[in-house]
Amino acid sequence: MWVHPMSGERVEDQGANNPLGSHWIAFHRDCCGRDAHDGDAWITIKGCTTTGFHGTPHRWTVGRAVSHGCVRLYNEDVRALYRQVSLGTQVTVLP
Protein backbone atom coordinates (compact mmCIF):
# COMPACT_ATOMS: atom_id res chain seq x y z
CA MET A 1 0.00 0.00 0.00
CA TRP A 2 1.14 3.53 -0.82
CA VAL A 3 -0.18 6.82 0.56
CA HIS A 4 -0.09 9.87 -1.72
CA PRO A 5 2.09 12.43 0.13
CA MET A 6 -0.15 15.41 -0.74
CA SER A 7 -3.71 14.08 -0.80
CA GLY A 8 -3.36 11.27 1.75
CA GLU A 9 -5.14 8.96 -0.74
CA ARG A 10 -4.37 5.30 -0.05
CA VAL A 11 -3.50 3.21 -3.10
CA GLU A 12 -3.90 -0.49 -2.45
CA ASP A 13 -5.53 -2.08 -5.48
CA GLN A 14 -3.67 -2.99 -8.62
CA GLY A 15 -5.47 -2.06 -11.78
CA ALA A 16 -5.25 -0.20 -15.07
CA ASN A 17 -5.58 3.23 -13.44
CA ASN A 18 -3.27 2.61 -10.49
CA PRO A 19 -0.68 5.44 -10.53
CA LEU A 20 1.92 2.91 -9.33
CA GLY A 21 1.42 0.66 -12.34
CA SER A 22 1.64 -3.09 -11.94
CA HIS A 23 4.10 -3.26 -9.01
CA TRP A 24 5.44 -1.20 -6.11
CA ILE A 25 8.83 -1.94 -4.49
CA ALA A 26 9.51 0.28 -1.48
CA PHE A 27 13.16 0.92 -0.57
CA HIS A 28 13.32 4.05 1.64
CA ARG A 29 11.19 5.63 4.37
CA ASP A 30 11.71 9.33 5.19
CA CYS A 31 10.01 11.07 8.10
CA CYS A 32 11.86 14.42 7.84
CA GLY A 33 9.67 16.05 5.19
CA ARG A 34 11.05 17.74 2.09
CA ASP A 35 10.32 19.86 -0.94
CA ALA A 36 9.72 18.08 -4.24
CA HIS A 37 8.51 18.83 -7.76
CA ASP A 38 5.45 16.96 -8.98
CA GLY A 39 5.90 17.86 -12.65
CA ASP A 40 3.70 20.96 -12.42
CA ALA A 41 4.76 22.78 -9.26
CA TRP A 42 6.99 22.66 -6.19
CA ILE A 43 5.27 20.99 -3.25
CA THR A 44 6.15 20.64 0.43
CA ILE A 45 5.83 17.10 1.74
CA LYS A 46 5.27 16.84 5.48
CA GLY A 47 5.41 13.72 7.61
CA CYS A 48 6.59 10.30 6.53
CA THR A 49 6.88 9.23 2.92
CA THR A 50 8.03 6.01 1.32
CA THR A 51 10.10 5.99 -1.85
CA GLY A 52 10.32 3.08 -4.22
CA PHE A 53 10.42 1.68 -7.71
CA HIS A 54 7.06 1.43 -9.45
CA GLY A 55 5.41 1.06 -12.79
CA THR A 56 3.04 3.58 -14.33
CA PRO A 57 0.01 3.51 -16.60
CA HIS A 58 1.52 6.58 -18.35
CA ARG A 59 4.57 5.39 -20.31
CA TRP A 60 5.51 8.94 -21.33
CA THR A 61 6.33 9.79 -17.68
CA VAL A 62 9.22 7.29 -17.38
CA GLY A 63 12.52 9.16 -17.08
CA ARG A 64 10.85 12.51 -16.36
CA ALA A 65 10.72 14.55 -13.16
CA VAL A 66 7.03 13.91 -12.48
CA SER A 67 7.35 11.94 -9.30
CA HIS A 68 7.40 12.50 -5.55
CA GLY A 69 10.87 10.98 -5.46
CA CYS A 70 10.17 7.47 -6.74
CA VAL A 71 11.81 5.78 -9.70
CA ARG A 72 9.22 5.14 -12.42
CA LEU A 73 9.75 2.15 -14.66
CA TYR A 74 7.83 0.64 -17.54
CA ASN A 75 5.43 -1.98 -16.15
CA GLU A 76 7.28 -4.81 -17.91
CA ASP A 77 10.56 -3.69 -16.33
CA VAL A 78 9.20 -3.33 -12.78
CA ARG A 79 7.62 -6.80 -13.10
CA ALA A 80 11.04 -8.23 -14.03
CA LEU A 81 12.73 -6.39 -11.15
CA TYR A 82 10.03 -7.58 -8.73
CA ARG A 83 10.90 -11.20 -9.56
CA GLN A 84 14.60 -10.55 -8.83
CA VAL A 85 14.40 -8.96 -5.36
CA SER A 86 13.17 -10.05 -1.97
CA LEU A 87 12.46 -8.32 1.34
CA GLY A 88 15.71 -6.92 2.72
CA THR A 89 17.51 -6.56 -0.62
CA GLN A 90 20.02 -3.69 -0.38
CA VAL A 91 19.28 -0.85 -2.81
CA THR A 92 21.59 1.92 -4.00
CA VAL A 93 20.08 4.58 -6.27
CA LEU A 94 22.59 6.69 -8.19
CA PRO A 95 21.78 9.92 -10.06
Side-chain angles (χ1 to χ4, degrees), residues 8 11 17 29 36 39 48-49 52 54 57 68 74 76 79-80:
V11 177
N17 294 323
R29 183 167 171 83
C48 296
T49 61
H54 66 81
H68 297 107
Y74 297 117
E76 59 271 22
R79 281 192 295 270

Side-chain angles (χ1 to χ4, degrees), residues 44 48 58 61 80:
T44 297
C48 296
H58 309 291
T61 64

Side-chain angles (χ1 to χ4, degrees), residues 1-51:
M1 185 213 34
W2 176 74
V3 178
H4 190 285
M6 295 304 295
S7 68
E9 174 189 4
R10 297 167 71 89
V11 177
E12 297 184 44
D13 296 327
Q14 292 185 5
N17 294 323
N18 186 326
L20 302 179
S22 64
H23 288 77
W24 161 254
I25 306 167
F27 62 80
H28 178 72
R29 183 167 171 83
D30 174 15
C31 293
C32 297
R34 61 188 162 83
D35 291 332
H37 199 278
D38 69 358
D40 292 319
W42 281 98
I43 57 175
T44 297
I45 300 171
K46 298 178 182 175
C48 296
T49 61
T50 304
T51 305

